[in-house]
Structures are given as C-alpha cells and as structure tokens.
Amino acid sequence: MKSQKSYDVSNERGVLYLVPTPIGNLEDMTFRAIRILKEVDYIAAEDTRQTKKLCNHFEIDTPITSYHEHNKHTKSEQLLSDLDIEKNIALVSDAGMPCISDPGYELVVAAVKEGYTVVPLPGPNAALTALIASGLPTGQFYFYGFLNRNKKQRKEQLQELQYIKESMIFYEAPHRLKETLKSIEEILGNRSIVLCRELTKRYEEFLRGSVLEAIEWTNTTDIRGEFCLILEGTNEEAPDESNLWWEQLTVIEHVDHYVEEGLSNKEAIKQVAKDRDVSKRDIYSEYHVH
C-alpha cells in the first residue's frame, strides 16, 4: 500500500488540486475553492473562457491554461513536469466535479502513478444534487453518466443495466433526451423516472412520473437545458443463464405461456423479446405468422 499524506509540509513536489465549480448558481462556490484557485500557480481548465468568467466574478487573477478532451494526452506531460518542479495546479471542468463525465481521469491516474499528491475538494455535483431531491431511493445508487449516442450501442448498454436494483443516474443533452427515453422504455420498461434540468439555476425543474409520461412530455415541450435522469431500479432477479426455463419452448409456446399467466398479447411478446434478447418485431412476426 502506498500512503498519500495530503498535507505533509515536507513534500518537495507540487500538488494537483481537483476543484469543483458551480453547476449553475455561483453562490455554490466554496470559500476553500476560491482560496485554492487564488493560491495555485495556475489553473488547468476544460474551457478557459468559461473559467475566466468564474475567476473574474471572484476576483481570481491566477493564470489559466487549457486541459480538455482533445489535448489531454500531450498536456498531461506538461502538467506532470510542472508538478515535479513544485508548481501547484488546480484542475477544473466547466461545471461540477472534474473527472465525473468531464476531463481529468487520465491526469489523476498519471499523477498517482508518479507519486504526486492529488487533493480533492468537495463541492457541486449534478448527479447527487438530482438524486437527493428525486424522491427515488438514495440508500444505494448506480451512476452511469452519458449513454452512447449510437442507438444500437445505447440499447446494448441498457441491456447490461437491466437487473440493477439501485436507482440509476444518467446525464443527457436536450437534443438526445427523447430518443434516450424511448430506448429506456424499450429495454428497461415503464419505470418511475425523474427528469431534472437546469439544476441550481433560475429555471430548475423536476419532472416526476413514469418513463412513458416522460416521453409524452417530450412530445409536447420545447426541450431545453442539460438533464440529469434518475431512474428506478428493478425488483426482478437476473435469470440463471445456465438453466433457462423456456429453452425447450418455441416462440409461440413462450408467448402463450405469458398470456396464460394473464399478460396481454402485447405484454407477452415484449416479455418474450426481453427473455430471448431479441427485438419485439421479430417475436411479433413469428407469433402472428402462425
């Protein structure tokens, strides 16, 4: 085990500070975060223009350099070299926690590997802010972040989450919200969901209901703002893949089994598609051909 004593004054190398910034309301900036940004040698920022606005508001005149998704590999070398000559650096993203669906992870890994001190500051985070006000269970939760933009890959990701029992947290952009909700309903079903948008800002809004209600809302609304989605977990148990009870059944027998249990034809077809991990269209076609 390697020990990091974050405040060891005998440390002869620089410190990398991970500094959260407000996700909307500038009043959420902490006294400590402001002090650190004033004291470090420079700030590594995802968007220097955005960070400059923040610094101007709090009268912080520390130099700012860019560190983002497109230059992180080359820029990391420079940052590590500066840490080696006792320069202290603050890493910030545009809003919220660095490294959480934002740049920073690779830099932290490299800094830890080389034995530099990495000091995190607590502060604003959209996922936890949304979760605690959602009304869905908070005892355990599963943070996912952004689902893939590609429809097929997004569905594959959701299939992997099918039997997660904890509340799930996703981020989504407004122009992709409708399609993401449709994928959630198709793969995970009509669960309870909370759409959280414009967190901490003037137009903050929580929309609580079912996935189908959320889809209907997107059909009648001008969708704006960045979204955090809190989705109910499942009560279903993952099937024992080594002993699937329906393996010897034809598709028709499989559907009829659920119909006999009281499901409608539509619900039975959807469940069979879920069991067999195929599209509802394929099951529908085969069932109705007979």
Side-chain angles (χ1 to χ4, degrees):
M1 298 292 289
K2 294 182 179 179
S3 171
Q4 171 189 300
K5 296 186 183 298
S6 298
Y7 306 105
D8 185 352
V9 294
S10 65
N11 189 359
E12 295 183 354
R13 298 201 290 181
V15 175
L16 175 64
Y17 292 95
L18 308 179
V19 182
T21 53
I23 59 176
N25 192 324
L26 290 178
E27 292 180 358
D28 293 332
M29 192 72 170
T30 68
F31 291 118
R32 184 183 175 202
I34 295 171
R35 177 178 63 79
I36 292 296
L37 293 184
K38 286 183 176 181
E39 291 179 354
V40 293
D41 292 284
Y42 65 86
I43 301 166
E46 181 181 7
D47 185 335
T48 56
R49 296 165 299 179
Q50 189 74 11
T51 300
K52 188 64 178 176
K53 293 177 186 176
L54 179 74
C55 288
N56 288 340
H57 182 84
F58 291 104
E59 300 181 348
I60 299 168
D61 57 10
T62 305
I64 303 171
T65 190
S66 66
Y67 177 84
H68 50 69
E69 187 65 27
H70 304 293
N71 74 352
K72 61 185 179 184
H73 297 296
T74 55
K75 203 58 178 280
S76 289
E77 295 180 9
Q78 178 191 328
L79 298 181
L80 294 175
S81 296
D82 286 343
L83 289 173
D84 203 48
I85 57 174
E86 298 184 57
K87 287 191 175 182
N88 295 324
I89 303 168
L91 177 68
V92 301
S93 63
D94 288 352
M97 290 270 187
C99 307
I100 304 297
S101 294
D102 277 320
Y105 167 72
E106 290 86 356
L107 177 60
V108 170
V109 170
V112 169
K113 182 179 180 181
E114 296 298 325
Y116 296 109
T117 298
V118 178
V119 175
L121 274 65
N125 172 261
L128 295 182
T129 302
L131 176 66
I132 60 175
S134 67
L136 292 176
T138 59
Q140 293 84 37
F141 57 89
Y142 187 102
F143 174 76
Y144 196 91
F146 287 97
L147 290 161
N148 199 287
R149 300 181 184 189
N150 178 274
K151 184 177 181 179
K152 181 180 178 182
Q153 293 179 335
R154 182 170 64 241
K155 288 183 177 180
E156 290 173 352
Q157 290 174 330
L158 289 168
Q159 285 171 341
E160 294 177 357
L161 303 175
Q162 192 169 342
Y163 297 104
I164 296 292
K165 297 184 180 297
E166 295 77 22
S167 299
M168 288 174 274
I169 308 174
F170 303 94
Y171 290 155
E172 195 51 276
H175 62 281
R176 292 197 298 269
L177 179 65
K178 183 183 295 186
E179 291 306 312
T180 292
L181 289 171
K182 288 180 179 178
S183 294
I184 288 174
E185 195 280 327
E186 180 179 344
I187 305 301
L188 303 182
N190 188 31
R191 308 182 183 185
S192 294
I193 194 170
V194 182
L195 312 185
C196 316
R197 65 172 176 172
E198 298 294 276
L199 287 167
T200 77
K201 301 176 185 176
R202 179 180 179 183
Y203 296 105
E204 175 178 284
E205 184 175 14
F206 291 83
L207 296 133
R208 302 177 175 94
S210 68
V211 176
L212 286 175
E213 288 173 331
I215 293 172
E216 180 60 29
W217 176 82
T218 65
N219 292 329
T220 59
T221 306
D222 182 16
I223 305 171
R224 296 182 180 181
E226 296 298 315
F227 284 80
C228 188
L229 316 180
I230 313 296
L231 181 68
E232 178 185 26
T234 186
N235 291 321
E236 296 181 24
E237 296 294 334
D240 182 357
E241 302 260 343
S242 63
N243 183 27
L244 298 176
W245 62 268
W246 46 262
E247 275 186 317
Q248 303 304 316
L249 300 181
T250 66
V251 167
I252 295 168
E253 291 170 337
H254 197 168
V255 174
D256 286 342
H257 167 82
Y258 284 122
V259 171
E260 290 170 6
E261 286 193 342
L263 296 185
S264 67
N265 277 14
K266 181 180 179 181
E267 291 170 333
I269 288 171
K270 184 176 181 179
Q271 185 59 48
V272 170
K274 185 176 178 182
D275 288 348
R276 294 175 179 254
D277 194 19
V278 298
S279 73
K280 289 186 292 185
R281 184 178 302 170
D282 291 344
I283 301 299
Y284 181 90
S285 298
E286 187 167 347
Y287 185 71
H288 286 283
V289 163
H290 89 288

